Amino acid sequence: MRSTRRALLGTAVAGALAVGLGEAAPARAAERRVQVAVLLYDGFTALDAVGPYETLCRLPGVRVFTVARRTGPVRTDTGQLALVAEKNLSEVHRADVLLVPGGGNRGIIAAMNDEALLDWIRRLHRHTTWTTSVCTGSLLLASAGLLTGLPATTYWASRPYLEKLGAVPAQGRFVETGKIITAAGVSAGLDMGLHLAARLSDEATARAMQLAIEYDPHPPFDSGSPEKADEATRRLALKLVEG
């Protein structure tokens, strides 16, 4: 049953992408693959990394890989889930796209004070086509000095910290400034990922990918931004993410 489902899903995805690519697919397959590095660190938030991964990993000519201080399992902010890092920092000197996820308080604060990690982000950024972040991942970009004076977004409760780090907080699910794209909190990584998919391929392919992952959100509640939520909801939200 599982293999049948996987085969059906693979067929559906391939078909959806074929609609967007048309006759251009064979030509693109021969091109050098675009390298997308997804940074993992202890305490990162799972959907920050996995959301954009799902929007990019099936794009023709794109290779998405995970990288951390050490290869192997890296725990998320809940401590209950781990993703596997394929490569360590010393192995990755260049990437076309850098994706930096956010994390819980413990994880993001430790990462912001990790000079070796910040230096790696700076070095990779020099050669990227796109440098991106999701949620509080923008605090890492700002700590590395990449957002000074630039419009950027982050998790709603972290906007004051982003400003203190020299960025200019901006509204929106994602903000593109030059080659830097920052996404707002957690689920906004899906929006940013689809936008990036269009940049790496074309709009038709990105539209097909949105259908391939059936991203058509209609949440049961209208409390998905601090402007829509009341004070009690905002307090409970922060309590939940802090664990």
Side-chain angles (χ1 to χ4, degrees):
M1 181 67 71
R2 185 177 298 175
S3 60
T4 300
R5 180 182 177 280
R6 187 181 297 116
L8 288 172
L9 180 59
T11 301
V13 170
L17 290 178
V19 172
L21 289 171
E23 297 179 356
R28 286 194 176 175
E31 295 177 2
R32 183 186 72 84
R33 300 184 82 183
V34 173
Q35 300 294 310
V36 179
V38 179
L39 175 65
L40 304 181
Y41 54 89
D42 183 49
F44 76 97
T45 299
L47 190 58
D48 289 9
V50 175
Y53 167 84
E54 282 295 335
T55 67
L56 301 175
C57 67
R58 296 181 179 87
L59 291 178
V62 173
R63 163 79 166 98
V64 184
F65 64 91
T66 50
V67 55
R69 267 193 172 278
R70 289 172 290 277
T71 58
V74 183
R75 288 282 166 185
T76 65
D77 49 4
T78 66
Q80 301 176 50
L81 176 69
L83 297 185
V84 176
E86 302 173 53
K87 301 183 179 184
N88 63 52
L89 298 182
S90 64
E91 294 180 277
V92 180
H93 304 287
R94 294 200 180 200
D96 300 292
V97 179
L98 171 61
L99 172 67
V100 179
N105 287 343
R106 175 184 59 82
I108 195 65
I109 291 173
M112 288 168 63
N113 288 288
D114 186 338
E115 280 302 323
L117 180 60
L118 297 180
D119 186 57
W120 180 84
I121 290 173
R122 284 188 286 263
R123 283 188 281 109
L124 227 66
H125 174 69
R126 294 189 193 112
H127 304 288
T128 58
T129 301
W130 299 101
T131 297
T132 70
S133 68
V134 179
C135 197
T136 53
S138 59
L139 300 184
L140 273 180
L141 297 186
S143 295
L146 306 186
L147 297 181
T148 304
L150 300 180
T153 190
T154 190
Y155 186 63
W156 61 272
S158 297
R159 292 170 189 166
Y161 301 104
L162 186 62
E163 187 172 17
K164 287 180 180 179
L165 290 168
V168 180
Q171 298 285 343
R173 291 288 280 176
F174 59 87
V175 175
E176 181 179 326
T177 304
K179 72 171 188 175
I180 298 177
I181 310 175
T182 54
V186 193
S187 65
L190 284 162
D191 301 66
M192 186 272 288
L194 288 170
H195 175 73
L196 184 57
R199 288 284 193 262
L200 296 179
S201 54
D202 52 52
E203 185 174 320
T205 304
R207 286 178 178 274
M209 182 54 71
Q210 181 174 350
L211 177 58
I213 63 174
E214 202 167 348
Y215 180 51
D216 187 27
H218 293 279
F221 312 109
D222 192 24
S223 58
S225 74
E227 291 78 20
K228 296 178 180 179
D230 58 30
E231 179 61 27
T233 302
R234 290 194 291 269
R235 287 198 303 267
L236 179 55
L238 292 176
K239 183 177 179 181
L240 290 171
V241 297
E242 288 172 2

